[in-house]
Amino acid sequence: MPGREGPESSLVRQHGPARLVLLGRAQVLVPTGPAFVLTEKLALLAGYLASTAGRSHRRARLAGLLWPDREDDQARGSLRNALSRLRALGIGVATEADSVSLGEHECDFEHLERAASSATEVTGALRLSEPFLEGFDPPEGELRDWLSFERTRCRTLAQQALTLASNAASERGELVAALAAASRLLALDPYREQSHRLLMHLHDVAGDRASALAQYRACREMLHDELGVAPSEQTVSLARHIAGTPGTGGDTVRALPKDAAPKTGASMETGHFRLSVAVLPFEHAGSGPDHRFLAEGIADDLTTALTRQRDFLVIARPSSLLFSASGEAARSLDVRYVVTGTLRVAGGQVSVAARLIDEKAGRHLWAVRHEGALDTFFSLRDRVIDELVTGLDAEIRLAERERAAEAPSASLGAWELFHRGLWYAYRFEPAEIVRAQECFERSLDLSGGFALPYAGLAYVEVLRLAFLLEKDTAAGVARGLEHAGRAFELDPSSPFILTMLGRLRALSGDLAGGFDLLNHARERHPSFAHVYYCLSLTHHGAGEPELALKAADMALRLSPRDPLLPMFLTTKAASHYFTGQLDRAEAEARAALAVKRGDPWAVIVLVLAVAESGRHGEARDMLGGVGAAMPGLQPLHIWPMIARTIPAAGRERVARTLAALGVPVEAETTSVARAI
């Protein structure tokens, strides 16, 4: 109770300033006296305040978080008592009006954050690797979610601290200490290949080649038995190097099999991806309406960064955007790993947090949080992205990582407007396409050197052609190429830019150039769903329906809930139509129409399949619905609309079928249409 002095108060006065210990058993330590072990509520309160140091919290929120089963007055009374007890223990708690924050004090939580960025002694790193608030397990709810995140984040920091300490000890020749730190690293997470490699390396440096290779075999067996995957190529290469190095003890070690390394790279066969991941929309909290787009933009940038990992199957943003719960996303999207995060903006400050979850094993692998002024948003975003990619590499597979820390030329407003424009574009409605164009143009007004809005304008031109908002194909393609070319000059590595430029090259009649760019985008970003869809369309233009079908299947695997889903399915339907599988073409077209009723492209493929199956009356009836999704579209518009997409080898067949149904068919099309 305030004003009353308990035994802890006199303990602190007698033995000096207190130190808060939150890693392992939660307690308060004083220089010369006994430790005072914290009760669960005191520990959770102290831990929550310490993990959000520098931020104030409303009393009502803290009371409801820690005592959710009590009435408001009772909960606030329990909070007052808890704060009083912390003060009596020498833990500074600042209160102002209705807010509470933690004052300056010594805490092992802060020591861990420092040790994760600057090497400390192995003994210190070992001590700091204990679990955060060990032994406490609050019931389901927000408090439990917070504790789970902070425990994962502390483990991530401990792994960084132990790695630094082990490497520093190894450089000093202290191999026993280095091995102790590496062993603790592996104990924190036995699935972490980087820890296995560190132990292999240290055993080899110590001259114990047999132990190094035994560690490799243990890693290989564990990954196979528990995760169903092979070790990464880097782990296999290290083992081969050790096996081929003469040991100091004269022991002979059988060489590793040449096929031990897994296949790397990805093709249009989904089995070549070793791991699957989805990045969910970041939760956002702030006073501004644009924070939603900042949060979505971070998730989008994370997704793009992960598509560069050649062995990762990364679910496209439009599909993962539909989920908020990691378990539901993993089941529905058929992925193992899920990334979740939060964005908080208040008082000119921003906090970005992310977490990696292995849903199959129920493991929280990695977590990170960075905070700073709002004008440092991009650097915070880049740190989270870089650490996530590195974290995935470390926890799952250290692949050939291509991402560099790119300082964006865009202002925060321009970046937000680009992502707002994408949001409108992905709705695939004529009015929304106009809004998307406005956002991309406003983004460029703010930052003319920002590449992505130019690619956004190129995408607008592609959409205008697809929705017949632009009747002059050559003019629309020319504008799109101009925008995409400018984007490519500014950023030749972006998958979105490469895909737009490749698609427009193909639409201009340069199929070879289009394929070169699209395949380059696929090789650099093998999980970017949009590139497979554009490859499918381009294969159709080249008269290669079998390859078009493979590419469409891959797009569906990468983004099964995409707003483009009816178009993916329609592309598959067209592939079956051109290979003579009319029943499958009809089934896929009907599936597309089940997703988007009246989609004109799906209706047209369905009409062709039904007519060539001998059901001309049914096909004619279907033509009446061709304008449902595109008001004003009439049968007489069908041939000009589709002629530019039909390969030369199939044009006569399609024209003959449509003519038999009474659809006007022109004998010739423009040169651009013929080329496409």
Side-chain angles (χ1 to χ4, degrees), residues 537-605:
L537 296 176
T538 308
H539 280 304
H540 272 302
E544 299 168 338
E546 295 88 354
L547 293 176
L549 180 60
K550 283 188 175 182
D553 278 335
M554 193 62 205
L556 273 168
R557 175 65 185 97
L558 290 168
S559 192
R561 301 293 186 89
D562 204 284
L564 279 170
L565 178 59
M567 301 176 199
F568 292 175
L569 294 170
T570 301
T571 305
K572 290 188 65 177
S575 300
H576 291 309
Y577 170 78
F578 283 115
T579 56
Q581 301 178 75
L582 297 179
D583 56 340
R584 299 186 70 179
E586 180 179 346
E588 294 288 3
R590 291 189 184 280
L593 290 168
V595 178
K596 185 176 181 181
R597 183 176 177 272
D599 181 81
W601 296 94
V603 170
I604 291 168
V605 177

Side-chain angles (χ1 to χ4, degrees), residues 509-521:
D510 181 10
L511 286 177
F515 273 125
D516 284 345
L517 285 161
L518 292 171
N519 284 320
H520 181 56

Side-chain angles (χ1 to χ4, degrees), residues 160-350:
Q160 295 169 358
L162 287 165
T163 300
L164 288 174
S166 180
N167 290 337
S170 177
E171 290 174 2
R172 295 192 300 268
E174 301 170 0
L175 291 180
V176 173
L179 282 165
S183 297
R184 176 60 179 161
L185 263 176
L186 192 61
L188 288 179
D189 188 351
Y191 299 92
R192 193 172 187 256
E193 276 193 71
Q194 189 181 32
S195 302
H196 286 278
R197 285 197 299 272
L198 180 57
L199 274 172
M200 290 164 60
H201 168 71
L202 290 172
H203 283 306
D204 185 45
V205 170
D208 189 354
R209 187 173 62 178
S211 293
L213 293 175
Q215 188 65 51
Y216 167 74
R217 287 190 289 272
C219 173
R220 181 179 60 188
E221 292 170 6
M222 183 273 302
L223 291 175
H224 177 273
D225 294 344
E226 300 297 330
L227 301 182
V229 298
S232 70
E233 187 172 4
Q234 184 168 353
T235 303
V236 174
S237 296
L238 176 60
R240 284 198 187 133
H241 170 75
I242 293 171
T245 304
T248 57
D251 35 306
T252 303
V253 180
R254 180 166 55 92
L256 295 168
K258 291 185 178 181
D259 61 353
K263 294 179 180 179
T264 59
S267 71
M268 287 188 289
E269 302 294 334
T270 59
H272 287 186
F273 289 101
R274 297 174 66 242
L275 303 157
S276 53
V277 61
V279 181
L280 302 193
F282 274 39
E283 297 179 7
H284 57 94
S287 57
D290 294 339
H291 296 148
R292 166 187 175 180
F293 296 101
L294 294 181
E296 289 185 5
I298 295 174
D300 190 34
D301 288 355
L302 275 171
T303 300
T304 299
L306 292 176
T307 64
R308 297 173 179 170
Q309 306 304 302
R310 302 184 64 82
D311 286 354
F312 291 176
L313 186 152
V314 184
I315 298 298
R317 173 180 178 259
S319 286
S320 58
L321 194 63
L322 302 177
F323 297 90
S324 58
S326 60
E328 180 188 3
R331 289 189 298 273
S332 299
L333 299 174
D334 190 23
V335 296
R336 176 167 192 143
Y337 299 95
V338 177
V339 177
T340 65
T342 58
L343 171 73
R344 297 184 182 277
V345 181
Q349 296 292 305
V350 60

Side-chain angles (χ1 to χ4, degrees), residues 523-665:
E523 289 165 3
R524 289 179 60 89
H525 304 270
S527 285
F528 190 59
H530 205 159
V531 73
Y532 290 95
Y533 171 60
C534 288
L535 274 169
S536 181
L537 296 176
T538 308
H539 280 304
H540 272 302
E544 299 168 338
E546 295 88 354
L547 293 176
L549 180 60
K550 283 188 175 182
D553 278 335
M554 193 62 205
L556 273 168
R557 175 65 185 97
L558 290 168
S559 192
R561 301 293 186 89
D562 204 284
L564 279 170
L565 178 59
M567 301 176 199
F568 292 175
L569 294 170
T570 301
T571 305
K572 290 188 65 177
S575 300
H576 291 309
Y577 170 78
F578 283 115
T579 56
Q581 301 178 75
L582 297 179
D583 56 340
R584 299 186 70 179
E586 180 179 346
E588 294 288 3
R590 291 189 184 280
L593 290 168
V595 178
K596 185 176 181 181
R597 183 176 177 272
D599 181 81
W601 296 94
V603 170
I604 291 168
V605 177
L606 180 59
V607 165
L608 291 170
V610 168
E612 293 190 18
S613 297
R615 293 138 57 199
H616 284 73
E618 185 180 345
R620 288 191 185 92
D621 291 340
M622 290 175 182
L623 284 173
V626 75
M630 296 171 64
L633 182 66
Q634 300 296 324
L636 61 90
H637 299 136
I638 291 177
W639 180 251
M641 173 181 171
I642 68 173
R644 65 175 181 263
T645 68
I646 303 173
R651 188 169 292 122
E652 183 178 349
R653 172 188 170 189
V654 173
R656 186 171 58 249
T657 301
L658 290 176
L661 297 173
V663 175
V665 176

Side-chain angles (χ1 to χ4, degrees), residues 51-69:
S51 69
T52 55
R55 294 216 313 258
S56 297
H57 302 277
R58 292 176 59 85
R59 287 178 179 268
R61 170 169 171 73
L62 290 174
L65 186 69
L66 288 157
W67 292 275
D69 55 340

Side-chain angles (χ1 to χ4, degrees), residues 30-108:
V30 289
T32 60
F36 185 86
V37 178
L38 297 179
T39 63
E40 181 173 16
K41 293 298 185 183
L42 282 181
L44 290 171
L45 175 59
Y48 190 84
L49 294 174
S51 69
T52 55
R55 294 216 313 258
S56 297
H57 302 277
R58 292 176 59 85
R59 287 178 179 268
R61 170 169 171 73
L62 290 174
L65 186 69
L66 288 157
W67 292 275
D69 55 340
R70 299 185 182 181
E71 297 292 334
D72 290 347
D73 289 345
Q74 290 180 319
R76 290 176 73 97
S78 296
L79 176 63
R80 284 194 298 271
N81 288 335
L83 292 173
S84 177
R85 285 173 65 82
L86 286 178
R87 289 193 187 97
L89 289 168
I91 304 303
V93 179
T95 56
E96 182 176 349
D98 196 40
S99 64
V100 178
S101 62
L102 198 63
E104 292 187 6
H105 64 284
E106 185 180 358
C107 177
D108 60 351

